[in-house]
Amino acid sequence: MNHFLDINATDPAELRGMIEAAKSMKNARNGRPKGALDDEQPLKDHMVALIFEKPSTRTRVSFDVGVRQMGGQTMVLSGADMQLGHGETIADTARVLSRYVDLIMIRTFEEQTLLEMAEYASVPVINGLTNRTHPCQIMADILTYEEHRGSIAGKKVVWCGDGNNVFASFAHAAGQFGFDLVFSGPSTLDPEMGFIEEARAKGVNVDIVRDPVAAMTGADLVVTDTWVSMHDPQSARERRHNQLRPYQVNEALMAHAKDDALFMHCLPAHRDDEATSAVMDGPHSVIFDEAENRLHAQKAVMRWCLGR
Ligand code: CP
Ligand code: NVA
């Protein structure tokens, strides 16, 4: 049994195996209807709980569809409607759910909730986003980059904006998949230095470059995300917007990246804040492939978790 808690907590060879499995499972579907079963049904007779303590469109639908394509069944649970949201401990919730289901995916606030769920569950637990990281997203992003441009190893990935949970998982991935990473944002919104130091210790270059034009030079992949994450107080919105405006990914900034650079955004986006519609809908953008690839990447993650 394997938990999928973070990219840095998973062996690089296992991560590579999941990406390759996702590629071949995606190819094997070969344009069939979304509701059609896969040829193989590794989750047949399996029940999966999908717990959401925060809103979601992509994570919720892609996990649900992925389980069903692999022959399993799902239940989508809102944290607020569970006893978990009314004082029952995470440990007890984990032990009880483990009696009913074969796999748990949870989207929550504190990382500690995820870790406790994994500690007390006797079934695999998958991180569907915490305030700190979003590993499933970056598995989909690696898959997307490699489908379009081949191996991501040695490439230059530039993150423009807030040093948030999605950036943190990119930093984890830089160390595990061997690509260079640049963070370009205001010092007030820097990521935790620990993420950067950990990646550097694995031999990749991770730099902080305040000037977005300088950061962008030579980029193979440009990534941004919302300026106000779900866990950020709305009261910080105006201040964040003022600080982050110079880091908006627009056509003028994108022009400094390599000609064949890709643009990614995990979505949901606030169009014309962190990125303009011209970029999001432009020739570099692969944002909807990224969204689709949540499905394929997570199917591979679930198979790995269940050893199937
Ligand atoms: N990218 C992502 O996780 O989207 P949702 O919040 O819609 O799940
Ligand atoms: N950083 C964003 C990602 C949403 C998928 C958030 O946490 O709200």
Side-chain angles (χ1 to χ4, degrees), residues 233-245:
Q234 279 303 316
S235 55
R237 192 173 179 279
E238 193 179 334
R239 179 169 43 81
R240 283 174 160 267
H241 275 236
N242 289 336
Q243 291 170 336
L244 285 160
R245 207 157 281 125

Side-chain angles (χ1 to χ4, degrees), residues 3-6 49-60 62-63 104-111 113-115 117 125-138 165-166 169 230 266-267 294 298 301 305:
H3 297 304
F4 187 73
L5 302 181
D6 269 318
L50 307 172
I51 305 173
F52 290 92
E53 295 194 299
K54 290 176 178 172
S56 170
T57 296
R58 280 142 288 268
T59 305
R60 174 180 170 151
S62 58
F63 266 104
I104 298 168
M105 190 289 310
I106 180 165
R107 164 169 289 192
T108 188
F109 289 86
E110 300 305 325
E111 184 180 47
T113 306
L114 169 78
L115 298 179
M117 188 69 80
V125 173
I126 296 176
N127 176 356
L129 178 144
T130 69
N131 295 359
R132 210 156 175 266
T133 59
H134 194 6
C136 289
Q137 179 66 53
I138 279 49
N165 46 2
V166 180
S169 286
M230 291 182 273
C266 65
L267 305 178
R294 293 293 302 279
Q298 289 157 190
V301 169
C305 285

Side-chain angles (χ1 to χ4, degrees), residues 245-259:
R245 207 157 281 125
Y247 297 94
Q248 180 193 65
V249 182
N250 49 41
E251 284 175 302
L253 188 57
M254 221 31 229
H256 295 277
K258 280 188 183 163
D259 290 344

